[in-house]
Amino acid sequence: MKRRIGVISLLIVGSFILLGTLMAQRLDLGIDLTKTLFLPSSTHLFGFDHLGRDLLVQVAAGGFLAFKIAASTVFFVFWLALFFSLASVWGPKWLQVLAIRTIDLVLAFPGFLVVLALSAVMQPSFSSMVLTLSISSWAGFARVLRSELLILRSGTLVMAAEAIGASRARQIVFHTLPQLY
């Protein structure tokens, strides 16, 4: 039941963002001072701002941009966390220590300060925002993923694969990663 509600919510929000983006591309978003601060109506659900622009279209276009930033950030966070957690579980001893200490170092700094410092250094753009958010938020996910990989590594499936002589890469790709879901 919970998944059904989540999927329905995702479809509603996704269709709102998609339709709003299509509306923003088709409609003129220019300034129309004859419509400044009009109240919401049946044709314009959110009304107009102080420059005469439709607020619903602006909110939907902003939602699409927020969705792109979130999806890109989650993509990079996933791969960073997967790399460091795999290195901290399956790598040689020196790489395990290096990966764990890197995770600890990133977790030692408050995320807000990391975002603030990186934002001050980088030029404002889509890619710098995604990079900043990814750098500041991958370590917690890597810690959780590492603990799950340690549990799976000591499980019977991986131990059986090791007993029959499966390579480390085969143990990771075929016996560990599919169990993460």
Side-chain angles (χ1 to χ4, degrees):
M1 184 66 181
K2 289 182 180 179
R3 283 192 178 188
R4 185 177 301 156
I5 293 172
V7 169
I8 291 171
S9 300
L10 183 65
L11 288 174
I12 290 171
V13 170
S15 61
F16 172 73
I17 290 171
L18 183 64
L19 289 174
T21 306
L22 293 174
M23 284 179 7
Q25 291 173 352
R26 288 199 167 36
L27 297 176
D28 182 25
L29 293 178
I31 297 172
D32 186 6
L33 296 177
T34 61
K35 297 179 182 177
T36 56
L37 300 176
F38 274 18
L39 296 175
S41 65
S42 60
T43 55
H44 300 284
L45 297 177
F46 286 5
F48 292 89
D49 66 356
H50 67 285
L51 296 175
R53 297 175 295 194
D54 190 359
L55 288 176
L56 178 64
V57 174
Q58 290 181 3
V59 167
F64 181 69
L65 180 62
F67 175 76
K68 283 192 337 189
I69 291 170
S72 302
T73 302
V74 166
F75 176 79
F76 288 116
V77 163
F78 172 76
W79 288 110
L80 263 173
L82 186 65
F83 172 76
F84 277 94
S85 58
L86 283 173
S88 69
V89 172
W90 292 92
K93 189 68 175 171
W94 66 270
L95 187 60
Q96 289 180 5
V97 171
L98 182 67
I100 291 169
R101 295 301 158 233
T102 304
I103 292 170
D104 289 340
L105 180 70
V106 173
L107 285 174
F109 291 103
F112 179 72
L113 292 179
V114 172
V115 169
L116 200 62
L118 289 174
S119 297
V121 173
M122 302 169 102
Q123 296 292 326
S125 68
F126 176 81
S127 58
S128 67
M129 180 173 284
V130 169
L131 183 66
T132 301
L133 292 173
S134 298
I135 288 173
S136 66
S137 59
W138 67 271
F141 183 59
R143 172 78 52 93
V144 172
L145 192 57
R146 178 181 182 275
S147 64
E148 188 65 30
L149 286 172
L150 285 171
I151 292 169
L152 292 175
R153 184 178 180 183
S154 63
T156 55
L157 189 61
V158 176
M159 291 168 84
E162 188 175 0
I164 63 170
S167 67
R168 185 173 282 183
R170 184 168 182 83
Q171 291 174 23
I172 293 170
V173 172
F174 293 108
H175 301 288
T176 305
L177 292 180
Q179 295 184 56
L180 283 176
Y181 176 73

